Amino acid sequence: MRVVECDICGETISAESDEELKGRLGEHLGSAHERGASAEELQELVASEAYEATDS
Ligand SMILES: [Zn+2]
């Protein structure tokens, strides 16, 4: 599982893949913070900040 923390509120967003994670993060930024993010921006955020998490 891939996890990334929202830069703005610190909420943890998780998904099965980086691809899905980008979508979730984009949705979160839009709905929770009314902040649009481009595909490049999401790609960069996920590439630099996402990490692998294990289900426990
Ligand atoms: Zn947030």
Side-chain angles (χ1 to χ4, degrees):
M1 191 158 82
R2 300 288 288 168
V3 177
V4 69
E5 277 166 29
C6 173
D7 273 349
I8 301 167
C9 68
E11 183 167 316
T12 301
I13 297 155
S14 61
E16 291 305 313
S17 65
D18 280 3
E19 210 51 45
E20 196 186 330
L21 196 55
K22 279 184 258 176
R24 292 265 176 95
L25 183 58
E27 249 172 53
H28 172 82
L29 290 172
S31 65
H33 307 299
E34 293 180 359
R35 182 190 183 289
S38 67
E40 286 84 11
E41 207 176 335
L42 292 172
Q43 166 70 48
E44 251 173 52
L45 281 168
V46 167
S48 63
E49 291 177 25
Y51 55 92
E52 188 70 30
T54 48
D55 268 321
S56 57

